Amino acid sequence: MPGLISSATIEQVRAANDIVDVIGSYLPLKRAGANFVALCPFHKEKSPSFNVSPQRQSFHCFGCHKGGSVFTFVMEYENIPFPDAVRRLAERARIPLEFDQGGGQQESRHLKDTLLQVHEQITQRWQNALANEAGAKIARDYLAKRGVSAEAVNLFRLGYAPDVWDDTVNWAKSKGHEFALVEKAGLILRKEGSDHYYDRFRGRLMFPICDEQGRVVGFSGRVLSGDEKTAKYVNSPETPIFTKSKVFFGLDKSKRALLDAGYAVVCEGQLDLIACFMGGVQNVVAPQGTAFTAEHSRILKRYVDEVVLCFDSDEAGQNAAVRSLDHLIASGLAVRVAVVPSPHDPDSFIKASGGEAFRKLVEQADGFFDYYLNRLCRTNDATTDKGRLTILHDMAEAVHKTGNAVIIDKYAQKTALRLGVAAEAVRGEFRRAGAVRRNTAPDEAPETVGAPEAPKPSTHEAWLLKLIFRQEDLLDWVAEHLDPQWIQHPLAREAVALRVQSHRNQNWTNLGAFLDSCASAEMRSLVAEAAAEERPIPNPAQQLADVAMRLRNQFIDRQLQELLQRAGRPEAGEAERLELLQEQQRLRQLKREVLPPVAR
């Protein structure tokens, strides 16, 4: 069962969310006969091949072959797991969720839900303070000075934490929240050795940090006074709903743009991201600070195949870009680096030159290793032995992290050209660096080669799928007379076996539930495509009889061929050959028999 949500609740949520209404809230659907069509949101196309069936409560794209139920669509479009898709649709239908779980899990879920509620409430409190309170003038003036529009303030829900020690403490008391809970949320602190609490965030511009579903899970507060002893930014501590290394600022708003663009722009700070987003570059995210983790890379890999790093132009920002390489390469992401002209950061560059200039800067960004070679040559004197050795060593170490022989050789040649030496000499140094790296690195698992894609079902297998998933009145005959082993395509065979089993067990509910139970996206796509065909099937009973007969006979032919091969082996004895011959005769007789007529 996906997640911890009960089966009854999943079916209740499914029934309450008509797939046409749900997908229609994301895409402009147009009626086409009994179905609806649209341009597919999962791949680029000029004419609509995305098909939604209100009758079967399923969707299928005949271009990219994605398909499934209303839950599948939300999962794919929002890039969220099944339980979160159920929650999203449950909230849409205002259905309270019921869980199949123990007391400890219920308690943990209740705590997280309560912390989310507290974070949402304090976000509204600080938004109101920024908009209306006299003490927040310093924050409003700062935002005006930085050119942050009212639209951006509302979109990113910026707020202001009043510059007093007990504003959040008193707010919590007025809401009836226990101080221990608000402390666990990271909003207040307990004075050591006493029962007194004080606010964590005071006199700061507040940036809510959201999870991928747009729920506030933490905060980053920027100081507004000139006190150099005060940290410029204070962030929420780690809590049951907030782990710094697993959250990007802005991802909840940029995830669709990431999927559409195919690459992510990664910048350092919240104001940089806001400037990019409002300037028209919306495929942008920001880690909390410059520390880029392996988890950050894994999150981005779910959305994109390439990352453009755009950190500040100062030394700290450029060093952060270099440190990000290991995690990004380990996740299989291609990396480019966009360098804003000094002394700018992305925010100030966009303010000075505009969003279109920044977009061009990103589009023209160098590949990471071109950027890194330029940086090494700029920071080391290539006319000295020490400088050349440093460039050689650092460049070799970086490119060997890819494990790609083509990239290694390419940048050996480029490095040789920059240093004015023979390419073969640099290749030799790179090979030695690679040997040292292999000898000192921990054992690595051998690279695995992905299994080749299974061929598509045959024409007759595809017709069988259409018949059994569109003509429920044929299932009695199918369950009694059709053997799934006749089907050669593994996913089609499994889908037919599951459909027949559900008919025999009388536990078939609907196509949507079946699609959600499919073990793989490939099987789900196969079934959704079979069910999505809009044209009526002429004389389906006769079609089924013909298709089943052909599949059975093809199955018998394969068995006969195998028996002939076994009989032809030199080591086969007379007794075995006689037995094989008798089996061949039995199969040939079976092939001459006609299947019973299909009754409807």
Side-chain angles (χ1 to χ4, degrees):
M1 173 57 62
L4 301 170
I5 305 168
S6 68
S7 300
T9 303
I10 289 173
E11 288 310 310
Q12 184 185 5
V13 173
R14 189 197 312 279
N17 284 277
D18 180 79
I19 195 167
V20 175
D21 291 341
V22 172
I23 296 181
S25 68
Y26 290 91
L27 310 173
L29 293 176
K30 292 183 179 179
R31 181 172 284 280
N35 295 342
F36 291 83
V37 297
L39 292 174
C40 180
F42 305 120
H43 79 287
K44 292 183 179 179
E45 60 179 8
K46 294 182 178 179
S47 57
S49 57
F50 184 84
N51 189 285
V52 183
S53 169
Q55 179 186 357
R56 298 179 182 86
Q57 290 294 295
S58 65
F59 76 92
H60 181 78
C61 175
F62 290 95
C64 68
H65 303 293
K66 283 189 184 293
S69 69
V70 66
F71 295 125
T72 313
F73 178 83
V74 175
M75 288 165 63
E76 293 282 353
Y77 193 92
E78 299 284 358
N79 206 40
I80 57 178
F82 183 88
D84 290 339
V86 177
R87 291 179 199 282
R88 189 76 59 87
L89 291 172
E91 290 171 4
R92 180 181 184 273
R94 299 185 178 181
I95 295 173
L97 293 182
E98 298 173 7
F99 297 90
D100 294 333
Q101 57 188 15
Q105 291 173 318
Q106 285 182 329
E107 185 178 336
S108 173
R109 183 70 252 171
H110 176 71
L111 173 61
K112 290 180 179 180
D113 287 342
T114 305
L115 291 175
L116 289 170
Q117 181 185 15
V118 169
H119 276 74
E120 174 59 31
Q121 290 175 351
I122 194 66
T123 299
Q124 294 177 18
R125 156 75 188 120
W126 286 335
Q127 281 184 284
N128 183 65
L130 176 64
N132 300 309
E133 295 186 9
K137 185 177 185 300
I138 185 174
R140 293 192 292 269
D141 290 346
Y142 175 81
L143 290 169
K145 180 181 176 183
R146 294 295 299 262
V148 180
S149 66
E151 181 186 0
V153 169
N154 290 330
L155 179 62
F156 289 90
R157 305 188 68 188
L158 305 190
Y160 175 72
D163 194 11
V164 292
W165 289 89
D166 59 357
D167 184 81
T168 303
V169 171
N170 291 333
W171 169 85
K173 189 185 299 183
S174 71
K175 291 288 185 181
H177 295 310
E178 294 180 3
F179 289 149
L181 173 70
V182 183
E183 182 185 16
K184 190 167 287 189
L187 300 176
I188 61 176
L189 297 161
R190 186 174 181 173
K191 188 175 181 181
E192 192 173 347
S194 74
D195 292 331
H196 296 290
Y197 291 87
Y198 61 95
D199 296 0
R200 178 184 295 274
F201 300 102
R202 305 179 303 277
R204 291 178 180 268
L205 177 64
M206 300 304 298
F207 296 88
I209 301 165
C210 298
D211 64 10
E212 291 179 53
Q213 297 179 59
R215 301 174 301 186
V216 181
V217 294
F219 295 95
S220 183
R222 193 196 191 286
V223 70
L224 296 168
S225 64
D227 188 353
E228 295 182 359
K229 296 180 181 179
T230 303
K232 186 176 180 180
Y233 281 92
V234 169
N235 296 318
S236 292
E238 299 214 342
T239 70
I241 61 172
F242 177 62
T243 303
K244 181 179 178 180
S245 63
K246 296 181 180 180
V247 177
F248 279 109
F249 179 75
L251 180 57
D252 60 305
K253 296 174 181 62
S254 65
K255 55 189 179 182
R256 276 311 309 171
L258 295 179
L259 292 167
D260 292 341
Y263 69 94
V265 179
V266 180
C267 59
E268 282 189 54
Q270 288 92 356
L271 288 171
D272 286 335
L273 181 138
I274 291 171
C276 293
F277 196 92
M278 303 309 291
V281 179
Q282 298 189 341
N283 53 318
V284 59
V285 293
Q288 298 308 300
T290 56
F292 197 94
T293 68
E295 189 63 35
H296 283 135
S297 296
R298 283 191 287 271
I299 292 169
L300 285 181
K301 184 61 177 173
R302 300 207 312 264
Y303 293 92
V304 298
D305 293 317
E306 183 181 41
V307 164
V308 179
L309 300 173
C310 190
F311 291 169
D312 291 355
S313 58
D314 59 19
E315 194 67 14
Q318 296 306 293
N319 287 337
V322 173
R323 287 196 302 271
S324 303
L325 176 69
D326 290 11
H327 295 315
L328 291 167
I329 285 180
S331 294
L333 289 159
V335 187
R336 291 187 289 140
V337 181
V339 181
V340 293
S342 182
H344 287 297
D345 56 25
D347 176 35
S348 62
F349 180 81
I350 291 170
K351 297 294 189 299
S353 304
E356 187 56 33
F358 182 74
R359 180 188 295 279
K360 289 180 180 177
L361 189 86
V362 168
E363 290 174 349
Q364 296 166 6
D366 286 337
F368 178 87
F369 295 109
D370 288 310
Y371 155 81
Y372 192 49
L373 181 58
N374 290 333
R375 176 173 164 77
L376 288 173
C377 291
R378 189 174 63 251
T379 55
N380 296 278
D381 186 354
T383 63
T384 67
D385 290 343
K386 179 183 178 182
R388 281 192 291 269
L389 288 172
T390 300
I391 293 168
L392 271 172
H393 173 271
D394 291 357
M395 198 66 197
E397 187 176 85
V399 296
H400 273 292
K401 291 174 181 177
T402 67
N404 186 297
V406 174
I407 290 178
I408 293 169
D409 186 70
K410 174 183 177 181
Y411 285 97
Q413 294 182 61
K414 287 195 171 189
T415 304
L417 189 64
R418 291 295 294 270
L419 298 181
V421 298
E424 194 52 46
V426 176
R427 287 193 185 99
E429 291 302 315
F430 273 33
R431 282 195 292 270
R432 276 190 281 276
V436 171
R437 178 178 171 82
R438 286 191 295 273
N439 291 334
T440 57
D443 291 340
E444 296 178 357
E447 184 177 344
T448 58
V449 179
E453 289 186 12
K456 289 189 174 184
S458 69
T459 301
H460 296 110
E461 290 169 342
W463 265 106
L464 178 63
L465 288 171
K466 290 179 184 179
L467 287 161
I468 71 168
F469 283 102
R470 293 182 59 195
Q471 304 285 154
E472 292 191 24
D473 55 340
L474 302 178
L475 263 295
D476 284 338
W477 188 93
V478 171
E480 185 175 353
H481 299 292
L482 188 137
D483 185 348
Q485 292 304 312
W486 298 348
I487 302 167
Q488 200 167 10
H489 189 278
L491 291 180
R493 181 171 61 246
E494 186 178 355
V496 170
L498 289 172
R499 179 65 184 96
V500 169
Q501 183 182 11
S502 68
H503 181 76
R504 286 173 177 158
N505 297 340
Q506 297 184 339
N507 59 6
W508 172 266
T509 53
N510 52 61
L511 179 65
F514 184 89
L515 291 169
D516 291 330
S517 71
C518 290
S520 67
E522 291 79 12
M523 184 193 294
R524 186 164 55 241
S525 174
L526 198 67
V527 174
E529 181 171 358
E533 180 67 55
E534 185 180 355
R535 291 171 297 179
I537 299 175
N539 198 355
Q542 186 59 51
Q543 293 262 26
L544 176 60
D546 293 344
V547 165
M549 181 76 81
R550 285 179 177 272
L551 291 174
R552 187 203 65 177
N553 290 347
Q554 289 169 0
F555 176 70
I556 291 173
D557 289 341
R558 291 194 296 273
Q559 289 184 304
L560 287 169
Q561 184 63 35
E562 183 183 345
L563 292 173
L564 285 170
Q565 290 175 351
R566 288 171 59 188
R569 291 181 306 176
E571 64 270 23
E574 286 300 319
E576 183 181 357
R577 284 195 177 95
L578 179 60
E579 184 180 337
L580 292 172
L581 180 60
Q582 290 172 343
E583 179 63 14
Q584 289 176 47
Q585 291 173 344
R586 186 190 69 82
L587 288 174
R588 289 191 179 101
Q589 176 61 36
L590 179 62
K591 187 175 177 181
R592 286 191 288 270
E593 294 179 6
V594 179
L595 290 171
V598 180
R600 299 186 66 186

